[in-house]
Amino acid sequence: MALMGGFARISNNEITVLVNDAEKSGDIDPQEAQQTLEIAEAALSKAEGKRQTIEANLALRRARTRVEAINAIS
C-alpha cells in the first residue's frame, strides 16, 4: 500500500495511522508509475524558485512512494 502524507500515533500498543491519500499496490499501473517518477525527477531538475521546488519535491516523493509500493510486492 502506498501512503502519502500524514502521521502515525502509538498509544497503549495500538497504532493509528492518519494519511492524506492511500493507494493499494495492486491498483497502481507499474508503467504509469515509473513514467510519472521520471517526469517528476525532470520537473525537479527544471524547477525555478522556492514554490516550484517545493511542489516538484512533493510530486517526486509521491511518485517515488508509488514505485516503491509496487516494488515491495514484486
Side-chain angles (χ1 to χ4, degrees):
M1 176 144 280
L3 306 174
M4 277 66 90
F7 63 94
R9 182 183 76 184
I10 303 171
S11 177
N12 298 325
N13 291 324
E14 183 175 287
I15 300 173
T16 302
V17 180
L18 300 173
V19 297
N20 295 331
D21 194 15
E23 243 180 309
K24 290 181 182 178
S25 300
D27 292 343
I28 301 171
D29 179 306
Q31 289 180 327
E32 183 270 333
Q34 184 62 43
Q35 184 179 22
T36 301
L37 176 60
E38 292 167 8
I39 291 168
E41 289 171 337
L44 179 59
S45 69
K46 295 177 184 175
E48 295 179 4
K50 190 173 184 174
R51 181 181 175 125
Q52 280 187 356
T53 301
I54 290 170
E55 290 174 352
N57 268 312
L58 289 172
L60 180 59
R61 283 194 287 177
R62 178 181 173 83
R64 190 175 289 138
T65 297
R66 293 178 80 233
V67 169
E68 288 173 0
I70 294 167
N71 292 335
I73 61 170
S74 297

